[in-house]
Amino acid sequence: MASSLSASTYDGWTREELIARLTELDNVQARPKQRPPSPKPRIKKTFQFNAHSRRKIALKFCYSGWEYGGLAFQYQKTTLPTVEGVLFNALVKARLIDPEGGFDGCGWTKCGRTDRGVSAAGQVISLWVRSALGSETGTEDDSLNVARSTSTSHSSETTADLANDASSSNLVEGENAVPGLEFGFDEDDLKDVPLNSSLSKPTSIQNEKYEYEYLLILNRLLPPTIRILAWSPVSDDFSARFSCTYRHYKYFFSRNTATGSILDIERMRTAASYLVGEHDFRNLCKIDPSKQITMFKRKVLSAEIDPISIDAEGNGDYVLNLVGTAFLYHQVRNIMAVLFMVGHGQEDPSVVTSLMNVEEGSEPGATEVVDTKPQYQMADALPLMLWDCGYPEGELDWRTTNGASLSDENEDGRSELYQQLHSIHSRSRVYTALNNHFLLAASRFHLQKNGLPAPSAPSSTSQVAKLMISLGGGTYKRTGQDKYTPLLKRNRLDHVDLTNERWRLGKGFRRNERKKALDEEGSIDDLDGNE
């Protein structure tokens, strides 16, 4: 080609020939370069949930309450995300539930609601999720219109398809971004479903092992502060809320207080024993007029104060184990506040019986009717945990894998999930050791020989108790020396009937007019309680 000629080639060319050659080269360089053809735009396929089988399952999970604004999803803007909001979006991103249907569309029910700052180690929800196998009963709820004509093409789908092209939830909580959804997972992490797997009737245990790896999928999408512990297939009419037979709460506290006083554990145990049985707990809960509750009787199955880590003298950490069929709003924290008063010697254990004696003769031995709640501050939220939710025997079959293998376990049987939680626990012990040494360093300068705080410390432990009332979790309420007012002599709140009526005629009526469609279960929501 002419462009590849060497310089010697131009020897003997005339002036006109050289000019013509330069003009030719200029035209070649000025010619616009051709761009490669643009790739065809990728058409995002719309995921058709009604073309896939579903099954109803229960999920058992734990969460760190101090990271969240409570369990329940909130439609208004919240400072912190809620546990349900984060979990819902993880299920949507995994394409296990349809975001268009919201919570109602997947039949979402929860065992027990926990408020902001309260943790859980055994929370349970039930819902319909996408399945590789379908409902164990061979049926699905009426809201699912399965496209049976496409069942053959979908039966060869892999578990990894749950992650591919996953989209964020259309249900956004407030205006906050939900944490944890930046974590993804790859096809290599998940297992294939055989071509001959059934979408509707898993009739044998052999087929069951090919279900989606629900724990693996969700725990890779969720933040470390929420962990799915197990899942169970359930019957179509199972409800995490209404099928629950008991709820077990734990409240952790130390016998030794910052004021130098020591709680009387035996007095607290005596007071706690009066809680067992069916009683009216209106004076040991927070009245929420929006629920319009008029029946405050709840059944406590057991109330025990047990040691966790104590020395020979009984000093150290304890836990209140409170088990009941259902709980009222802030019931556990109100109970714990009264037990602290008893432990400090400010109240007699019998005050618990008096507070439950809301009408003449309702509590044998009580001498005073207390039909309205005395004013007092409930205990702190941090030490409270929903430990377990109980169900009838045979109702649940908890599983950690799809049954195909235990590949995520080490030789000693420890799973990756257990190792993650163990690492968090180990790190927390380091924080405890550091804080303990901060305390030791301060004790050299700010602690008297008698063990009481140095500045103006009274000599009597009982006087110290009157200065500050323990509220749990290292928090206290100052009252001032000799200013403690017995519970039954304090100012009282309005009667619950008056509180409910005032709400109905004011704010409640206007809200109900706006949200009638969303208030279907509002009047009985706290029959299950939330700590």
Side-chain angles (χ1 to χ4, degrees):
M1 295 178 61
S3 59
S4 62
L5 297 175
S6 62
S8 59
T9 306
Y10 298 105
D11 294 342
W13 284 39
T14 65
R15 182 173 180 273
E16 289 75 11
E17 291 174 332
L18 289 172
I19 291 174
R21 176 57 179 162
L22 290 173
T23 302
E24 179 185 357
L25 291 176
D26 287 341
N27 291 335
V28 171
Q29 292 179 357
R31 187 180 305 162
K33 296 181 179 179
Q34 293 184 352
R35 295 182 178 179
S38 301
K40 294 182 179 180
R42 181 180 178 182
I43 301 176
K44 188 174 182 179
K45 295 166 59 177
T46 302
F47 190 80
Q48 300 296 330
F49 277 91
N50 63 354
H52 298 271
S53 183
R54 299 198 304 181
R55 76 183 307 174
K56 196 171 190 180
I57 67 169
L59 293 175
K60 182 184 283 286
F61 58 102
C62 62
Y63 51 87
S64 305
W66 57 88
E67 295 282 349
Y68 298 96
L71 170 71
F73 178 85
Q74 302 293 328
Y75 287 92
Q76 68 272 22
K77 183 178 180 180
T78 57
T79 304
L80 294 173
T82 65
V83 176
E84 279 190 333
V86 176
L87 183 54
F88 181 90
N89 280 283
L91 286 159
V92 167
K93 185 160 188 175
R95 296 202 293 207
L96 290 173
I97 61 175
D98 186 355
E100 298 296 331
F103 289 94
D104 293 337
C106 61
W108 186 295
T109 61
K110 53 181 173 285
C111 176
R113 176 174 175 172
T114 57
D115 207 18
R116 178 173 178 171
V118 179
S119 301
Q123 181 67 268
V124 176
I125 63 169
S126 58
L127 71 165
W128 287 86
V129 296
R130 185 181 168 205
S131 169
L133 302 173
S135 173
E136 287 201 332
T137 61
T139 62
E140 296 175 6
D141 62 343
D142 295 336
S143 63
L144 178 63
N145 181 19
V146 181
R148 298 300 179 188
S149 61
T150 59
S151 61
T152 303
S153 62
H154 291 297
S155 63
S156 61
E157 187 176 34
T158 65
T159 307
D161 291 331
L162 295 177
N164 295 338
D165 301 325
S167 60
S168 299
S169 170
N170 291 339
L171 187 58
V172 179
E173 185 172 19
E175 298 178 6
N176 300 305
V178 177
L181 298 186
E182 67 272 21
F183 302 106
F185 49 88
D186 300 320
E187 273 190 47
D188 294 339
D189 298 321
L190 307 168
K191 299 191 178 298
D192 289 344
V193 178
L195 292 175
N196 60 352
S197 64
S198 170
L199 282 175
S200 57
K201 295 184 180 181
T203 57
S204 68
I205 298 298
Q206 183 177 2
N207 286 338
E208 181 57 39
K209 67 182 182 181
Y210 298 120
E211 183 55 280
Y212 293 135
E213 290 277 13
Y214 293 123
L215 263 67
L216 178 64
I217 293 168
L218 291 173
N219 282 331
R220 296 217 172 169
L221 291 171
L222 290 166
T225 47
I226 303 177
R227 296 287 87 183
I228 308 296
L229 302 177
W231 74 277
S232 172
V234 295
S235 61
D236 293 359
D237 59 354
F238 175 85
S239 168
R241 175 186 175 188
F242 294 110
S243 300
C244 183
T245 57
Y246 69 83
R247 294 158 177 88
H248 181 177
Y249 283 95
K250 288 178 177 283
Y251 195 99
F252 303 93
F253 64 96
S254 176
R255 186 187 183 197
N256 309 78
T257 67
T259 62
S261 61
I262 298 177
L263 294 173
D264 190 325
I265 299 299
E266 289 308 315
R267 286 171 58 89
M268 296 176 70
R269 283 172 173 159
T270 301
S273 68
Y274 298 143
L275 298 167
V276 179
E278 186 175 80
H279 304 280
D280 191 309
F281 289 97
R282 69 182 63 193
N283 295 326
L284 290 165
C285 72
K286 181 178 180 180
I287 304 298
D288 183 359
S290 68
K291 303 302 180 185
Q292 292 292 289
I293 297 176
T294 57
M295 201 279 288
F296 294 88
K297 285 190 175 181
R298 298 293 183 270
K299 187 175 183 179
V300 172
L301 303 176
S302 65
E304 304 287 342
I305 295 179
D306 302 310
I308 299 176
S309 176
I310 60 174
D311 59 21
E313 298 179 353
N315 296 322
D317 298 326
Y318 289 80
V319 61
L320 169 67
N321 283 295
L322 192 63
V323 183
T325 56
F327 290 88
L328 295 162
Y329 188 34
H330 291 327
Q331 182 179 340
V332 182
R333 292 169 64 184
N334 276 264
I335 287 173
M336 201 64 218
V338 174
L339 292 181
F340 281 139
M341 298 177 205
V342 172
H344 278 297
Q346 297 158 333
E347 297 288 346
D348 189 82
S350 63
V351 73
V352 171
T353 301
S354 298
L355 290 171
M356 297 186 298
N357 191 48
V358 299
E359 58 185 18
E360 193 70 38
S362 61
E363 292 292 328
T367 59
E368 181 179 352
V369 173
V370 185
D371 60 350
T372 54
K373 182 183 178 181
Q375 293 180 350
Y376 63 90
Q377 186 173 341
M378 66 181 176
D380 189 62
L382 179 63
L384 181 58
M385 165 186 282
L386 175 60
W387 171 245
D388 194 18
C389 301
Y391 294 91
E393 186 175 355
E395 192 88 19
L396 297 167
D397 177 22
W398 293 116
R399 310 172 185 188
T400 58
T401 69
N402 65 357
S405 69
L406 299 177
S407 57
D408 68 330
E409 289 190 356
N410 295 328
E411 293 180 358
D412 62 355
R414 296 190 177 193
S415 67
E416 180 181 351
L417 173 60
Y418 181 87
Q419 290 178 344
Q420 291 172 355
L421 293 176
H422 190 277
S423 296
I424 294 173
H425 176 257
S426 298
R427 191 167 182 83
S428 69
R429 289 172 66 91
V430 173
Y431 281 112
T432 300
L434 290 170
N435 287 324
N436 185 51
H437 280 72
F438 296 152
L439 191 61
L440 289 173
S443 66
R444 290 187 245 170
F445 307 99
H446 301 277
L447 197 64
Q448 298 182 105
K449 292 182 179 180
N450 60 4
L452 295 176
S456 304
S459 58
S460 170
T461 300
S462 62
Q463 289 178 322
V464 175
K466 292 182 179 180
L467 286 172
M468 301 174 69
I469 300 176
S470 177
L471 295 175
T475 61
Y476 298 86
K477 177 178 175 61
R478 293 183 178 273
T479 62
Q481 187 173 352
D482 297 328
K483 290 184 180 180
Y484 179 80
T485 303
L487 269 176
L488 301 184
K489 294 183 178 181
R490 297 185 186 183
N491 294 331
R492 306 284 183 87
L493 302 179
D494 291 333
H495 194 279
V496 61
D497 294 341
L498 179 60
T499 302
N500 283 340
E501 183 180 13
R502 185 189 304 119
W503 189 89
R504 284 196 307 269
L505 298 177
K507 178 180 179 181
F509 176 80
R510 295 190 297 271
R511 193 183 79 165
N512 284 344
E513 287 297 308
R514 294 192 302 266
K515 297 185 177 180
K516 283 183 178 179
L518 300 177
D519 198 34
E520 182 178 354
E521 296 184 3
S523 60
I524 59 172
D525 186 59
D526 274 338
L527 289 180
D528 310 322
N530 59 42
E531 41 80 18

